[in-house]
Amino acid sequence: MRIATWNVNSVRARLDRLVAWLAKAQPDVACLQELKTEEKKFPYEPLTEAGYHCVVHGQKTYNGVAILSRAEPRDVVFGLGDGVADPQARLAAADVGGVTVLSAYVPNGSEVGSDKYDYKLAWLARLRQHLERRFEPAQPLVLCGDFNVARDDTDVARPDEWAGSVLCHETVRDALEQVLGWGLADVHRQHHPDGGVYSWWDYRRLGFPKGNGLRLDYLFATAPLAACCTAAEVDRDERKGSKPSDHAPVVAVFDV
DNA sequence: ATGGTTGCTTAGCAA
């Protein structure tokens, strides 16, 4: 089973690249983030024609997450399920072929100390509580997405440049480790223990041509799935060429 | 270097 995660930075702006990439990469499941569209404007037709069911949690202009799957999704759930009034569409979950799949778009946080940063920290704490309440670490589950956090400095090409930022601050790194502490393994790191592999390059700083990348996109799996993960790679080529997203897809293979 | 680019929506926000 091939499971992918990709922050597409607008599913409509990226549609041609997305369809071509699905044909090339052949994922069984693809978690998407930053759809930047309402469900009624989601491009169901070309993605269905490409062979995928589409679970879509949309929002106008900002955020939005989806789960594309070859097999029919079941038990679809949107949001963090804690009764907090929260209009931001950042989490979708579904059962696909006996594997629970979650597509998450963690808040960026803007600036350390801002209201948006507090929301980011709180959102990660709510995510941990959601896992505790609704799922079990013994079940096959993969939490995929753009976490807007580089776990440590091996995930940052230029650590000095990003030290203390919303992507690297110790408070948000701690909050992400609390999520992993529920019972999740970073399957890409299992295959690349020395780091130095990145998934996001800033448009503004011309990060890609300068080699200034960070790993912000992850597949986190429970033990039964992590134990059968045979490969995990960033598809760096997708950051090249015309009209790329600022994120590259990450794909992991599970022998299930 | 408080720079730079992209997308949505159409001047300003978010990333």
Side-chain angles (χ1 to χ4, degrees):
Chain A
M1 190 178 207
R2 300 169 60 80
I3 303 180
T5 186
W6 192 9
N7 178 324
V8 291
N9 186 20
S10 171
V11 69
R12 287 181 288 158
R14 218 65 57 208
L15 182 60
D16 290 349
R17 284 192 75 131
L18 174 59
V19 170
W21 180 78
L22 291 169
K24 182 190 76 171
Q26 291 288 314
D28 297 292
V29 179
C31 295
L32 308 180
Q33 300 87 35
E34 274 208 273
L35 305 178
K36 293 187 170 181
T37 188
E38 299 167 281
E39 187 187 351
K40 65 184 179 186
K41 292 188 177 179
F42 184 86
Y44 284 99
E45 279 194 23
L47 295 171
T48 301
E49 285 178 19
Y52 290 90
H53 299 271
C54 303
V55 165
V56 179
H57 186 31
Q59 181 182 334
K60 186 177 180 181
T61 310
Y62 304 118
N63 309 316
V65 290
I67 301 170
L68 312 185
S69 62
R70 294 278 193 200
E72 188 173 347
R74 303 184 190 281
D75 301 330
V76 173
V77 180
F78 296 145
L80 287 160
D82 55 8
V84 173
D86 189 342
Q88 300 192 30
R90 295 185 176 275
L91 187 70
D95 181 295
V96 180
V99 175
T100 298
V101 178
L102 294 97
S103 180
Y105 177 46
V106 175
N108 170 280
S110 186
E111 299 285 340
V112 173
S114 67
D115 289 348
K116 290 189 174 73
Y117 189 72
D118 291 343
Y119 174 71
K120 179 181 193 175
L121 297 177
W123 199 93
L124 285 164
R126 292 168 64 200
L127 177 59
R128 160 81 198 225
Q129 292 180 321
H130 181 59
L131 293 170
E132 288 175 6
R133 279 195 285 256
R134 189 173 275 273
F135 306 107
E136 292 291 337
Q139 72 181 96
L141 177 149
V142 60
L143 170 62
C144 306
D146 173 6
F147 289 80
N148 268 313
V149 182
R151 289 189 63 203
D152 63 41
D153 283 350
T154 71
D155 299 316
V156 186
R158 301 183 187 181
D160 292 350
E161 187 170 326
W162 296 94
S165 73
V166 293
L167 306 178
C168 296
H169 196 278
E170 65 174 336
T171 52
V172 81
R173 283 178 167 171
D174 288 347
L176 180 56
E177 294 310 306
Q178 289 292 313
V179 174
L180 289 169
W182 173 72
L184 295 165
D186 177 350
V187 299
H188 187 273
R189 175 152 291 181
Q190 289 181 343
H191 293 280
H192 304 273
D194 297 332
V197 181
Y198 314 115
S199 67
W200 174 80
W201 297 262
D202 196 351
Y203 288 133
R204 288 174 292 182
R205 301 180 197 216
L206 304 176
F208 193 69
K210 293 180 179 178
N212 186 2
L214 295 86
R215 190 170 71 113
L216 307 180
D217 302 271
Y218 302 89
L219 293 96
F220 296 137
T222 52
L225 264 191
C228 67
C229 180
T230 57
E233 302 294 339
V234 173
D235 192 348
R236 200 172 173 282
D237 287 344
E238 274 304 312
R239 187 59 177 80
K240 302 175 181 175
S242 175
K243 289 272 186 183
S245 170
D246 46 351
H247 295 254
V250 188
V251 183
V253 184
F254 298 91
D255 188 11
V256 290

